[in-house]
Amino acid sequence: MGRDVRASADPRTGELLREHLSGKRGGHRIRDADRPRRTPPPLLQLLARAHKAGANIGAVCDAIHARQGELGMRRIQGVLQLAKQYGSVAADDACAAALELRVPEYRFVRRYLERSPQAPLSLRQVDPLIRELTQYRDLIQQRINFEEPQS
């Protein structure tokens, strides 16, 4: 069984620019010359950030790295983004559930966070800027009485 080869050509001249070898699904091959100038932080830095974000987050990212190696880097970045989006505590709880169910994967953590109800925001009830409701009621009543046309 041979490998499939795709080619990229310049749309104006038709000149051959690159030949791309197909690999297994989910894998990728990038020549060094084609890599972007701005590259993500090294994998070890990402794993260190994951451990700082939470013990369970770090454990899930370690499991992703152990199973997929460098190809799991995007998934590790995704877990860290979920921690940023939903908060470290919620993401750490989701990762704890993933570890408990033996499914330490980015998709599980994402779906768990999407489906779990978010804690409602609590408003401060006591603050010097917040007045009693009766004062607001009286002010509104005064405005209504002042603006009513006299007939």
Side-chain angles (χ1 to χ4, degrees):
M1 186 187 283
R3 288 196 156 168
D4 294 329
V5 177
R6 292 182 313 149
S8 295
D10 186 337
R12 288 173 283 161
T13 63
E15 179 184 354
L16 178 66
L17 297 175
R18 300 270 188 284
E19 287 185 349
H20 306 278
L21 294 175
S22 297
K24 68 177 185 171
R25 185 179 171 138
H28 64 280
R29 298 166 75 154
I30 300 174
R31 293 177 26 178
D32 288 336
D34 295 335
R35 290 192 186 278
R37 282 179 262 170
R38 183 172 171 254
T39 57
L43 187 58
L44 294 177
Q45 285 181 350
L46 287 175
L47 292 173
R49 278 182 45 206
H51 282 280
K52 283 182 185 176
N56 295 318
I57 295 171
V60 166
C61 290
D62 284 342
I64 291 170
H65 177 250
R67 192 173 59 254
Q68 298 175 353
E70 277 197 40
L71 292 177
M73 184 181 237
R74 296 272 312 257
R75 290 173 185 87
I76 292 170
Q77 289 173 327
V79 171
L80 290 172
Q81 183 61 34
L82 291 173
K84 185 176 179 181
Q85 180 180 353
Y86 290 95
S88 293
V89 174
D92 201 53
D93 291 343
C95 288
L99 292 168
E100 185 177 322
L101 295 171
R102 295 189 177 129
V103 201
E105 297 175 3
Y106 163 76
R107 284 185 181 180
F108 178 88
V109 175
R110 186 191 75 213
R111 287 184 180 143
Y112 185 94
L113 288 169
E114 288 173 349
R115 292 181 177 145
S116 66
Q118 298 297 315
L121 295 175
S122 61
L123 298 175
R124 292 180 60 183
Q125 297 297 322
V126 179
D127 192 280
L129 295 176
I130 300 175
R131 299 185 180 114
E132 293 293 321
L133 287 177
T134 55
Q135 291 181 2
Y136 292 111
R137 181 196 64 207
D138 295 343
L139 178 68
I140 292 170
Q141 191 61 42
Q142 287 174 357
R143 294 288 176 162
I144 290 173
N145 291 339
F146 179 75
E147 293 177 1
E148 282 183 358
Q150 307 269 332
S151 39

